[in-house]
Amino acid sequence: MMPYVILNAAMTLDGKIATHTGSSNISGAEDLKRVHELRKQCDGIMVGIGTVLADDPRLTVHKIDAKKTDNPVRVVVDSRLQTPHDARITNDDARTIIACANEYKDEIKSSEKYNDFRKKGVSIFWSGDKRVDLKSLMIYLHEEGIEKLMLEGGSTLNFSMIKAGLIDEISICVAPMIAGGVNSKTFFDGEGFDTMDEAVRLELLDSYNLDKDLILKYKVLK
């Protein structure tokens, strides 16, 4: 058993989720509320280490009326435990799980950071060799009571998850703006597929305007 995974993101019309400098303020005010409503409905929220290092996110429900118990479990895919000591996702606003790779277990376990995180109540999940085994992580998260997981990953984690067949639904905000840039981050990066025949197919479930933005909801066909 695995969680039902909803990938949520905002992108420009040309598919960029951030500029080459890391600027990513794409969503309008109404879409941010939509995102936090979705967070409130989910048991967990997952990002990659790149997002933590770039944005230092809270990963809580705070753009709408909510209480502490509405915050989802925060999950970070971080093979080498690069999460900073003072990262906001390690505070007591919600439970935090950091997924690390077995290759670095001895190095990580001997670090001051590891002991510090454990004292804070941060859970460490080990899987895979040099990279976290995402399927094993999904099974573990379901065992931990996470039935619906919101993925707010960067482009690399997004591709790894969809290639592994672990995303069930995509909710995307398309903003009426063009960012351009060959080095700007797109919705999905990673190694990509070799041919269009291998591309993941989607079914459009819903579409609507939200202020100036366009919201698209897709089912991932497997």
Side-chain angles (χ1 to χ4, degrees), residues 74-216:
R74 302 170 295 195
V75 183
V76 182
V77 179
D78 179 9
S79 296
R80 303 190 67 162
L81 196 62
Q82 298 178 76
T83 300
H85 282 274
D86 57 352
R88 292 197 291 182
I89 55 95
T90 66
N91 63 26
D92 64 358
D93 287 343
R95 183 187 175 195
T96 299
I97 298 170
I98 301 179
C100 299
N102 284 310
E103 174 81 12
Y104 313 105
K105 183 182 284 190
D106 292 342
E107 174 187 341
I108 290 171
K109 281 195 167 184
S110 64
S111 69
E112 180 182 339
K113 184 190 292 185
Y114 174 80
N115 293 325
D116 183 39
F117 282 173
R118 295 291 289 167
K119 289 176 184 176
K120 287 184 176 183
V122 175
S123 301
I124 307 294
F125 172 76
W126 308 95
S127 70
D129 297 320
K130 292 186 177 182
R131 299 177 66 179
V132 172
D133 184 315
L134 294 172
K135 288 186 179 179
S136 296
L137 175 58
M138 291 302 105
I139 292 171
Y140 168 75
L141 293 180
H142 191 271
E143 291 173 347
E144 292 296 298
I146 298 176
E147 296 185 2
K148 183 182 288 188
L149 177 69
M150 184 175 178
L151 173 61
E152 289 194 15
S155 52
T156 301
L157 179 57
N158 289 348
F159 183 76
S160 296
M161 285 287 288
I162 204 162
K163 183 180 180 182
L166 300 174
I167 297 176
D168 299 286
E169 183 181 310
I170 294 175
S171 181
I172 182 78
C173 167
V174 182
M177 56 203 312
I178 301 291
V182 66
N183 294 317
S184 298
K185 290 290 185 181
T186 59
F187 192 16
F188 291 92
D189 282 337
E191 67 270 28
F193 295 112
D194 292 332
T195 68
M196 285 298 175
D197 288 340
E198 299 173 87
V200 175
R201 307 295 172 176
L202 309 173
E203 177 186 338
L204 182 63
L205 299 178
D206 195 11
S207 63
Y208 58 93
N209 293 316
L210 190 59
D211 197 8
K212 296 179 180 179
D213 298 326
L214 173 64
I215 309 301
L216 301 171

